[in-house]
Amino acid sequence: MGLTRQYLRYEPAALFALVASARAGVAFVALRGERGRYVAVPACEHVFVWDTRKGEKVLILKGLKQQVSCLCPSPDGLHLAVGYEDGAIRVFNLLSGESTITFNGHRAAVTALQYDHLGGRLVSGSKDTEVIVWDVINESGLYRLRGHKDVITQVLFLKEKNLLVTCAKDTLVKWWDLDTQHCFKTLVGHRAEVWGMTLLSKEKRLITGSADSELRVWDLTYIQEVKDHDEPESKKSKGSSSPGAEGNNEEDETLEVDEHPEERIVKCSKVGSIMREGRDRVVTLGTDRMGKFLACHGTDAVLEVFSVLSEEEIQKKLEKKLKKARKKAKQNSEEEPERSVQLSLQEEIQRVTNVKASSKIKSFDLILSPKEELKMVLLLQNNIIELYNLDLSAQVAQAVRVSRITIGGHRSDVRTLAFSSDNIAILSASAESVKIWNRSTLQCIRTMECEYALCSFFVPGDRQVIIGTKTGKLQLYDLASGSLIETLDAHDGAVWSIALSPDQHGFVTGGADKCVKFWEFELVKDESSVQKRLSMKHVRILQLDEDVLCVRYSPNQKLLAVSLLDCTVKVFYVDTLKFFLSLYGHKLPVLCMDICYDGTLIATGSADRNVKIWGLDFGDCHRSLFAHDDSVMYLQFVPKSHLFFTAGKDSKIKQWDADKFEHIQTLEGHHQEVWCLALSPNGDYVVSASHDKSLRLWERTREPLILEEEREMQREAEYEESVAKEEQPVVAGERQGETGLAGKKTIETIKAAERIMEAIELYREETAKLKEHNAICKAAGKEVPFPVNPILRAYGNITPSAYVLEVFKKVKSSELEESLLVLPYSYVPDLLRLFNEYIQQGSDVELLCRALLFLLKIHFGQITGNQMLVTVIENLKKTTISRVSEARDVLGFNMAGLQFLKREIEAKEEVTFFADATERFEEKRRKRKKKEKMVLTVL
């Protein structure tokens, strides 16, 4: 057996240069007892919490692999629900930063999340067109609601009623009764996608945003409230034609479709529209927590803010208007105008101001501070978070930008990366700036403005950097001062590639003007100072027939490889510029290439998704590898080895062995196209840049990588993915209608079911062994020692039945139903007998009853048909009823005790228990200040 080559694993070390991803929303979170200071934003697979006052990152909520697609803070401010691209939802504790609960139910990205007003339930909408309601306290799914035909865009709980409102891209707004779990009303008044909605005026008004410049306003009348009124009033209301009345309205009939006319709960009537200034679709529509302010934005950079009048303010305005109307009527000797006086919609919802951001807005959040100041945080498309304050006490409300978080990243995609010779500094350049990063601290130490950068390198000595731009210029920067020293017009087109010569005396550039130019470093006298400064001198030119895409020197500086737009790579002698080899075989242009340290191999990466390895002695193709699922954007050899890395538009980075032509490992982390990468001179670090605005650092570990194990892990990951994509198991007797089970089959639920099966198998074996042992002891007439199972010994010599309970308790609450659904029926009779035993003992009654009822539901026919289980079911009926009533009695007693304690404390201290007294205090202080002002004016 020959020697196997040992590879070392590269692991992700850091994610940096990212302020926020524009995928999901931004949200104010309460941290360290403060509201309005900290904001949570998505950052690829993580969630960053920023301090807007200091511009610092204070907390990172670490995700797994999938990108964050949705955020929602809980009403108590202690938790943050995060939705991901794969349909998973994780609830994070903001105090510890740990993920406490995971829900798996959706088969596609989560697009909407909302807590109810108590924070006990969470509703989620997804790209799979389904809505799921989750029980946060019990950590389980309640039910799945089906009905929409396109992506869910918003979900809302109603506080007072047990109702849910959902809207989607299928133009429909649906109302769901959560007691019966069915859709009782569908609004069809929109002609295009409904992108957002919100509830106002104590949930008596609904506002929806669609693909036009209208915000449609609907009045909500709850039928139950109308029925509760006395008879004469109801007769009056039938005669009137007010928006809240239940009269015949032709417009209403066209706008609503009653799926169950006998179960009508709420009535919606359109009262008008608020016109936005933006002509495009609504992207985000939302209010502050108190519902006093409404804001929305489109695909542009303007946030439109409206104020919503409260009932008291509306009443005051009406009285004023009525006074004026009476005065006018008196002058004109007309009748009393009481009925004709009404407030228009524009008077109830007034435009406050427009906030112009520095770039396109992707999301926003509002919070009303106790100082009567509206705080607005905007997440922009170009990797920026902006915070604006709106002073409401001013006569003309004007939004003022308070802070801006920008230092952490580039405004546009990074197109070129480079490492310094000492492996410490990293250069990244984009369309507007060059940044220098410290590799160990990941802090940005220099930012310099530049033109659209395409290629770059550190000048030997690491004191200057040279950038090649899209306009054909070469820009030389001094790092100490952070200034631009010199700009040269190098090419008539874009400078696509730049390569430092191995002797470090000069460099070569290739551009879109079909030229390869050779440059040398020189020292020239600076006019402003006595000392000489570095400059660049053009030495030679090589004219070609096609655009140059990439240039590379061989390590001995004898050969120069040039990649052309005609899909070939031409190799020339450096000294004479004579043609040496032509490497042809790619079907599309070669975008990147590199020559290994000993000059024997050249690897080329192309837009045809292939990487070819060639010998530089004869130009023969050693092997063609199908490398990526999209164009290969960058390729570089690891120093002093024949291993190389490739980066592709398929968001992956791969490592290859050029001698054995094997794929070694894939570095997965980026979520969009990877534009470029750079290897440190010692080969220990890889840095990569992507379209997701992030830079990632990968570090070489000392851990050896075995290819067979790597392939096995890859196969396991593929199997896990295929399990998630399989059809969900069907519950016997359940019709595929509006509702369904909340969970979905995952590899975790299968593993949980397998653990339960193994525990029951062990219970069966140990029970059989115990019977045999008892028979032997009886025959021998003396006690024979019984060998204890090592698994039971590890659990502290517990009984086999107790071990089954331990395994059962370890199944996650959110995965319990799906695990039992996967469990074969042959294990159910044993489980029912064990449940009877456990419930009699009074252990975990709630969990066991939940599992028992679910098993009876899915295996009803087989259980009732089995004569052996009749006595077991009878016993279960008695024990469960008695134990559940005991548990209810205990809960009732505890509740009564807590209420008694609450009354006692309130009576003693004369304070409202568990209430936030700050709002009352602020209100009192405001009134006092008002009185003082009035006194001063009188004086």
Side-chain angles (χ1 to χ4, degrees):
M1 184 181 169
L3 286 169
T4 56
R5 179 175 291 187
Q6 191 182 42
Y7 304 107
L8 294 176
R9 188 184 294 279
Y10 281 83
E11 290 285 352
L15 166 75
F16 63 106
L18 182 65
V19 176
S21 300
R23 269 303 276 179
V26 59
F28 278 109
V29 290
L31 209 65
R32 299 164 187 169
E34 282 191 69
R35 280 189 185 275
R37 177 175 174 178
Y38 301 99
V39 292
V41 292
C44 290
E45 68 271 24
H46 306 307
V47 175
F48 290 166
V49 179
W50 290 92
D51 182 344
T52 53
R53 202 174 294 167
K54 293 181 179 177
E56 291 176 359
K57 206 183 295 173
V58 291
L59 186 63
I60 298 175
L61 307 176
K62 292 195 173 177
L64 299 172
K65 281 185 180 178
Q66 297 294 330
Q67 200 171 3
V68 174
S69 61
C70 197
L71 294 179
C72 180
S74 65
D76 59 6
L78 298 174
H79 296 91
L80 183 73
V82 182
Y84 294 90
E85 284 286 314
D86 61 346
I89 299 163
R90 296 172 79 196
V91 180
F92 287 89
N93 187 323
L94 288 172
L95 300 174
S96 63
E98 296 297 317
S99 169
T100 50
I101 306 164
T102 303
F103 295 127
N104 280 305
H106 291 292
R107 289 183 291 279
V110 179
T111 52
L113 282 172
Q114 188 72 40
Y115 277 96
D116 68 354
H117 69 292
L118 295 171
R121 288 179 301 176
L122 177 70
V123 64
S124 61
S126 166
K127 278 187 178 177
D128 62 8
T129 75
E130 294 176 348
V131 176
I132 301 178
V133 182
W134 307 92
D135 185 341
V136 178
I137 297 157
N138 197 30
E139 298 181 16
S140 63
L142 294 174
Y143 34 81
R144 184 187 297 266
L145 303 171
R146 304 186 187 99
H148 284 288
K149 299 285 183 285
D150 210 333
V151 178
I152 310 292
T153 52
Q154 183 62 286
V155 284
L156 295 170
F157 273 113
L158 269 76
K159 283 181 190 174
E160 305 300 325
K161 316 283 175 188
N162 195 22
L163 303 178
L164 180 72
V165 196
T166 61
C167 65
K169 283 167 74 174
D170 59 2
T171 76
L172 303 177
V173 176
K174 284 183 176 283
W175 292 77
W176 305 83
D177 183 355
L178 297 183
D179 292 325
T180 56
Q181 293 141 42
H182 82 283
C183 174
F184 64 88
K185 182 179 284 296
T186 303
L187 286 183
V188 292
H190 303 88
R191 297 190 179 182
E193 299 96 333
V194 183
W195 288 101
M197 63 177 177
T198 188
L199 289 160
L200 293 173
S201 310
K202 294 180 182 175
E203 297 180 348
K204 290 184 178 174
R205 187 159 274 174
L206 177 75
I207 295 186
T208 56
S210 187
D212 50 21
S213 55
E214 270 186 65
L215 293 180
R216 290 166 179 79
V217 184
W218 313 77
D219 264 354
L220 308 179
T221 310
Y222 300 102
I223 304 303
Q224 217 52 43
E225 290 174 12
V226 175
K227 284 181 182 175
D228 289 346
H229 291 167
D230 54 0
E231 195 65 25
E233 279 187 27
S234 65
K235 281 178 183 175
K236 271 184 201 173
S237 67
K238 277 183 184 177
S240 70
S241 59
S242 63
E246 195 188 354
N248 291 330
N249 191 330
E250 285 180 17
E251 188 182 356
D252 292 356
E253 293 300 313
T254 58
L255 291 172
E256 58 192 58
V257 177
D258 283 340
E259 293 178 10
H260 301 277
E262 72 281 2
E263 293 177 4
R264 292 182 69 197
I265 299 165
V266 68
K267 179 177 169 56
C268 296
S269 51
K270 189 178 175 186
V271 289
S273 297
I274 302 164
M275 298 306 291
R276 297 190 301 117
E277 287 185 3
R279 293 276 167 253
D280 46 7
R281 75 171 179 88
V282 171
V283 175
T284 320
L285 174 69
T287 62
D288 66 312
R289 289 183 71 194
M290 310 298 288
K292 288 184 177 179
F293 290 90
L294 169 77
C296 66
H297 71 88
T299 53
D300 52 8
V302 178
L303 179 75
E304 299 178 45
V305 185
F306 302 86
S307 71
V308 182
L309 298 186
S310 63
E311 285 183 6
E312 294 81 22
E313 288 169 328
I314 289 171
Q315 203 58 42
K316 280 180 187 175
K317 271 211 162 189
L318 267 174
E319 283 171 13
K320 253 187 191 178
K321 214 171 181 184
L322 197 61
K323 228 177 189 179
K324 277 185 182 177
R326 279 174 183 166
K327 204 175 180 182
K328 200 175 179 182
K330 213 172 186 182
Q331 287 172 358
N332 299 339
S333 63
E334 290 174 5
E335 288 182 18
E336 289 291 305
E338 286 187 28
R339 290 195 179 184
S340 61
V341 174
Q342 279 185 344
L343 282 185
S344 68
L345 191 64
Q346 278 66 29
E347 286 174 309
E348 288 183 36
I349 302 170
Q350 299 172 339
R351 185 182 292 276
V352 179
T353 187
N354 285 359
V355 181
K356 182 84 168 72
S358 60
S359 181
K360 281 186 181 179
I361 304 170
K362 298 303 284 186
S363 175
F364 73 90
D365 196 17
L366 308 175
I367 194 165
L368 191 62
S369 70
K371 296 174 183 175
E372 283 298 309
E373 211 173 37
L374 185 67
K375 290 187 175 183
M376 298 168 281
V377 65
L378 309 180
L379 171 58
L380 307 184
Q381 190 185 30
N382 62 347
N383 205 18
I384 292 180
I385 301 167
E386 290 185 342
L387 184 72
Y388 289 84
N389 274 9
L390 189 67
D391 189 5
L392 303 171
S393 58
Q395 283 186 342
V396 180
Q398 195 67 38
V400 180
R401 192 169 75 197
V402 182
S403 64
R404 194 167 184 247
I405 302 169
T406 61
I407 191 69
H410 288 271
R411 307 286 72 80
S412 55
D413 291 1
V414 172
R415 298 309 298 255
T416 174
L417 290 163
F419 257 104
S420 62
S421 59
D422 56 4
N423 309 293
I424 290 173
I426 298 168
L427 177 151
S428 63
S430 63
E432 81 296 320
S433 65
V434 181
K435 285 182 185 280
I436 308 295
W437 307 82
N438 184 313
R439 195 211 71 235
S440 52
T441 62
L442 301 175
Q443 295 299 311
C444 179
I445 51 179
R446 279 283 179 278
T447 300
M448 300 161 285
E449 287 186 9
C450 72
E451 292 187 24
Y452 199 120
L454 292 175
C455 50
S456 63
F457 72 95
F458 276 90
V459 175
D462 298 335
R463 291 185 179 183
Q464 294 91 8
V465 293
I466 291 176
I467 306 292
T469 70
K470 201 173 184 178
T471 53
K473 291 174 182 172
L474 287 176
Q475 294 185 311
L476 176 65
Y477 291 89
D478 179 53
L479 296 185
S481 61
S483 59
L484 177 65
I485 303 172
E486 189 177 1
T487 302
L488 287 177
D489 289 321
H491 291 267
D492 293 335
V495 182
W496 287 117
S497 183
I498 195 164
L500 182 67
S501 62
D503 64 3
Q504 299 191 339
H505 290 164
F507 60 95
V508 63
T509 58
D513 58 355
K514 304 177 185 178
C515 293
V516 174
K517 292 188 178 182
F518 295 82
W519 307 79
E520 280 184 3
F521 298 119
E522 63 172 354
L523 291 169
V524 295
K525 277 190 178 180
D526 196 359
E527 294 171 5
S528 58
S529 67
V530 183
Q531 289 182 338
K532 288 186 175 182
R533 66 164 179 83
L534 187 80
S535 181
M536 305 165 281
K537 183 174 72 174
H538 179 224
V539 184
R540 290 188 294 169
I541 187 167
L542 172 63
Q543 190 68 43
L544 295 158
D545 298 329
E546 296 285 341
D547 290 14
V548 178
L549 298 178
C550 189
V551 288
R552 284 292 177 270
Y553 273 113
S554 65
N556 58 10
Q557 208 173 326
K558 285 186 177 178
L559 301 172
L560 178 74
V562 182
S563 153
L564 302 174
L565 200 62
D566 63 1
C567 312
T568 63
V569 175
K570 296 216 169 12
V571 184
F572 298 89
Y573 290 106
V574 173
D575 50 0
T576 60
L577 297 184
K578 282 186 177 176
F579 175 73
F580 172 49
L581 289 171
S582 180
L583 313 177
Y584 55 89
H586 283 290
K587 294 180 180 69
L588 288 169
V590 173
L591 303 176
C592 52
M593 62 181 173
D594 200 15
I595 300 171
C596 66
Y597 76 104
D598 55 8
T600 55
L601 299 173
I602 178 170
T604 58
S606 165
D608 64 9
R609 303 178 289 178
N610 291 309
V611 166
K612 290 183 188 287
I613 299 160
W614 316 76
L616 256 185
D617 42 7
F618 300 109
D620 55 324
C621 181
H622 291 185
R623 186 65 64 94
S624 182
L625 304 166
F626 182 75
H628 291 269
D629 296 328
D630 209 331
S631 302
V632 182
M633 297 304 295
Y634 208 85
L635 185 151
Q636 192 173 349
F637 272 97
V638 177
K640 295 177 184 174
S641 77
H642 282 187
L643 308 178
F644 65 92
F645 279 93
T646 58
K649 273 190 175 180
D650 59 355
S651 76
K652 290 182 177 68
I653 298 163
K654 295 184 180 181
Q655 190 185 16
W656 307 84
D657 187 340
D659 290 333
K660 295 195 171 183
F661 317 118
E662 281 188 315
H663 171 222
I664 301 165
Q665 72 172 124
T666 303
L667 305 179
E668 289 185 352
H670 286 293
H671 300 285
Q672 291 181 43
E673 301 97 320
V674 182
W675 296 126
C676 54
L677 59 83
L679 273 112
S680 61
N682 61 6
D684 283 345
Y685 298 96
V686 179
V687 65
S688 55
S690 167
H691 184 50
D692 61 17
K693 300 281 195 300
S694 70
L695 297 183
R696 286 177 190 264
L697 186 68
W698 315 82
E699 188 176 1
R700 184 162 61 187
T701 61
R702 300 298 107 195
E703 181 194 344
L705 186 144
I706 293 109
L707 291 179
E708 286 74 18
E709 284 181 11
E710 201 69 15
R711 304 286 179 272
E712 186 62 35
M713 283 163 67
Q714 200 175 337
R715 281 193 290 273
E716 280 177 17
E718 284 171 6
Y719 168 69
E720 287 179 18
E721 276 182 30
S722 66
V723 164
K725 287 174 185 174
E726 281 177 13
E727 285 188 14
Q728 299 299 305
V730 179
V731 181
E734 186 189 79
R735 66 183 182 87
Q736 289 293 309
E738 284 184 335
T739 59
L741 288 175
K744 71 169 181 181
K745 187 169 83 169
T746 61
I747 198 73
E748 283 80 19
T749 60
I750 291 167
K751 283 176 181 175
E754 284 171 357
R755 285 195 295 272
I756 295 168
M757 285 154 64
E758 283 166 11
I760 295 169
E761 290 282 359
L762 186 138
Y763 165 74
R764 286 173 180 171
E765 287 170 16
E766 290 301 307
T767 313
K769 280 180 190 175
L770 192 63
K771 279 183 184 176
E772 281 179 30
H773 177 72
N774 290 340
I776 290 164
C777 289
K778 202 174 181 181
K782 60 176 183 179
E783 278 292 322
V784 179
F786 181 69
V788 182
N789 190 298
I791 296 171
L792 300 178
R793 190 182 288 128
Y795 276 82
N797 285 340
I798 58 171
T799 61
S801 60
Y803 171 69
V804 176
L805 182 61
E806 284 296 317
V807 170
F808 206 81
K809 279 155 72 175
K810 282 181 181 175
V811 177
K812 282 184 184 176
S813 182
S814 58
E815 294 169 1
L816 183 65
E817 278 86 359
E818 286 298 321
S819 302
L820 292 173
L821 201 56
V822 176
L823 194 74
Y825 173 73
S826 57
Y827 293 92
V828 173
D830 288 315
L831 210 51
L832 292 176
R833 291 186 186 96
L834 287 166
F835 281 1
N836 193 18
E837 186 187 319
Y838 302 145
I839 293 169
Q840 278 175 347
Q841 293 165 7
S843 53
D844 294 287
V845 176
E846 191 184 337
L847 172 71
L848 295 170
C849 285
R850 182 180 152 200
L852 172 65
L853 293 171
F854 186 73
L855 284 173
L856 289 171
K857 180 185 172 185
I858 61 174
H859 297 298
F860 181 76
Q862 288 163 299
I863 291 169
T864 50
N866 192 337
Q867 292 295 318
M868 306 280 285
L869 293 174
V870 173
T871 51
V872 178
I873 296 296
E874 285 296 324
N875 291 335
L876 275 167
K877 184 182 173 184
K878 290 172 191 172
T879 50
T880 47
I881 289 168
S882 62
R883 288 294 178 189
V884 168
S885 59
E886 278 175 30
R888 286 176 72 181
D889 291 344
V890 170
L891 281 170
F893 182 82
N894 290 345
M895 284 287 288
L898 286 168
Q899 282 169 354
F900 172 74
L901 286 170
K902 176 186 168 183
R903 286 196 298 273
E904 286 289 303
I905 292 165
E906 281 181 358
K908 275 181 189 175
E909 297 181 11
E910 294 181 349
V911 294
T912 308
F913 196 57
F914 289 147
D916 188 7
T918 53
E919 288 179 16
R920 292 186 179 188
F921 173 73
E922 287 293 336
E923 203 172 331
K924 281 180 184 176
R925 198 176 71 176
R926 281 199 300 274
K927 282 180 181 176
R928 191 166 66 245
K929 277 189 177 177
K930 219 174 188 181
K931 277 183 183 177
E932 285 172 7
K933 277 183 184 175
M934 284 172 75
V935 170
L936 285 167
T937 50
V938 168
L939 289 169

